[in-house]
């Protein structure tokens, strides 16, 4: 049982910048500007690309820009967490690849059973389908984005900013709020497009966020959920490529 406090600190200025600036940039502003840039290229140049390939580049550009901004804001916090992870390297690594992964897949199995029951087997996860389309057309770029950029970026945002901002008020509020917002991230585009059936997928994505949040609570270093997130995405890519 770990009795240490959480590694790293996030001050009020960082929280303000994160919530007021970085979250809107990540969720809306950067994707819109990147999309507009691609539109200009298509309209005023001779570049001709399949829309799926352009979507891959758009996704990568957005992730890279957001990654740089978030890591810049929380670099000291991340460094402290890396140091803590290394201090208990064996325990943290073993926890990540055993208990952590078992939690993710255990929750996913239960969530998918409920989803299939509710939807009568006619499930259509728009976020996962889009990911598969991108992966089929740009495996290396999507692997880099999904296995390296996304886990670090999303864990710093949802476990670093959201979880840590709420943790002093309530452990369970921090866990459930960060889990819910993490799940909402993966379905909000489809929801805003009018597909309310995607709400059911809060169970699977939110459940995954719960596993990451719970692991962070137990191990006190954000590197554990980052590693779990990386492994989960890597396994998903391997299964999609070879199956």
């Amino acid at each position: 049982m770990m009795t240490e406090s959480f590694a790293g600190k996030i001050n009020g200025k960082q929280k303000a910048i994160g919530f007021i600036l970085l979250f809107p940039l990540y969720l809306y502003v950067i994707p819109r500007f990147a999309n507009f840039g691609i539109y200009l290229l298509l309209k005023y140049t001779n570049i001709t690309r399949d829309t799926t390939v352009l979507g891959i580049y758009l996704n990568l550009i957005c992730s890279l820009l957001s990654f740089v901004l978030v890591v810049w804001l929380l670099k000291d916090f991340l460094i402290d967490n890396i140091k803590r992870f290394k201090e208990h390297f064996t325990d943290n690594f073993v926890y990540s690849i055993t208990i952590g992964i078992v939690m993710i897949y255990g929750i996913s199995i239960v969530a998918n059973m409920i989803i299939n029951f509710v939807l009568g087997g006619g499930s259509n996860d728009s976020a996962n389908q889009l990911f598969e389309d991108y992966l089929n057309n740009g495996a290396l770029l999507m692997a880099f984005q999904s296995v390296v950029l996304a886990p670090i970026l999303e864990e710093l945002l949802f476990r670093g900013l959201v979880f840590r901002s709420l943790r002093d008020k309530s452990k369970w509020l921090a866990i459930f709020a960060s889990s819910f917002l993490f799940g909402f991230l993966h379905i909000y585009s489809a929801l805003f497009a009018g597909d309310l059936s995607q709400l059911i997928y809060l169970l699977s994505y939110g459940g995954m966020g719960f596993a990451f949040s719970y692991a962070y609570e137990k191990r006190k270093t954000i590197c554990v959920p980052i590693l779990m997130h990386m492994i989960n995405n890597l396994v998903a890519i391997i299964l999609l490529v070879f199956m």
Side-chain angles (χ1 to χ4, degrees), residues 20-232:
I20 296 173
L21 183 62
L22 293 189
F23 263 103
L25 282 174
Y26 174 55
L27 294 175
Y28 184 80
V29 178
I30 290 177
R32 293 300 174 270
F33 271 98
N35 199 29
F36 182 64
I38 289 177
Y39 165 77
L40 292 178
L41 286 174
L42 290 174
K43 185 173 180 64
Y44 296 107
T45 70
N46 294 323
I47 295 176
T48 55
R49 291 279 188 177
D50 180 81
T51 55
T52 302
V53 175
L54 289 176
I56 294 170
Y57 287 119
L58 172 62
N59 195 51
L60 182 62
I61 290 169
C62 293
S63 293
L64 279 171
L65 289 175
S66 301
F67 179 87
V68 170
L69 290 172
V70 172
V71 170
W72 167 78
L73 178 68
L74 301 178
K75 58 183 181 299
D76 293 333
F77 170 79
L78 183 58
I79 290 171
D80 289 342
N81 276 267
I82 292 172
K83 290 178 180 177
R84 175 69 63 82
F85 184 87
K86 291 168 66 177
E87 288 173 2
H88 306 279
F89 177 81
T90 301
D91 290 342
N92 285 326
F93 183 79
V94 170
Y95 183 96
S96 300
I97 65 174
T98 55
I99 296 175
I101 296 301
V102 168
M103 276 197 301
I104 291 173
Y105 286 102
I107 292 172
S108 294
I109 289 171
V110 173
N112 287 329
M113 288 174 63
I114 296 173
I115 291 170
N116 288 329
F117 175 78
V118 171
L119 298 180
S123 60
N124 181 25
D125 181 352
S126 62
N128 191 56
Q129 183 60 54
L130 183 63
F131 177 77
E132 289 185 33
D133 291 341
Y134 285 173
L135 185 64
N136 290 332
N137 288 274
L140 290 179
L141 290 179
M142 286 306 297
F144 174 67
Q145 191 273 333
S146 300
V147 179
V148 179
L149 296 182
I152 298 174
L153 171 61
E154 292 176 2
E155 293 310 310
L156 286 176
L157 286 174
F158 293 99
R159 253 53 66 184
L161 282 173
V162 177
F163 183 99
R164 288 294 297 274
S165 296
L166 297 173
R167 180 59 178 81
D168 290 340
K169 295 179 175 61
S170 167
K171 175 178 75 174
W172 291 109
L173 174 63
I175 289 175
F176 283 109
S178 60
S179 302
F180 172 82
L181 291 174
F182 176 80
F184 187 75
L185 166 73
H186 292 82
I187 65 170
Y188 82 97
S189 294
L191 285 179
F192 291 166
D195 186 2
L196 297 182
S197 68
Q198 295 298 306
L199 277 170
I200 190 68
Y201 292 100
L202 275 174
L203 287 174
S204 55
Y205 291 117
M208 191 182 302
F210 178 88
F212 297 145
S213 297
Y214 186 82
Y216 185 32
E217 171 67 30
K218 287 297 182 182
R219 302 308 303 175
K220 310 300 184 186
T221 168
I222 205 167
C223 294
V224 168
I226 287 175
L227 179 58
M228 289 166 54
H229 203 151
M230 287 178 168
I231 294 171
N232 176 74

Side-chain angles (χ1 to χ4, degrees), residues 12-23:
K13 181 179 179 181
Q14 289 172 313
K15 291 176 183 178
I17 293 173
F19 285 112
I20 296 173
L21 183 62
L22 293 189
F23 263 103

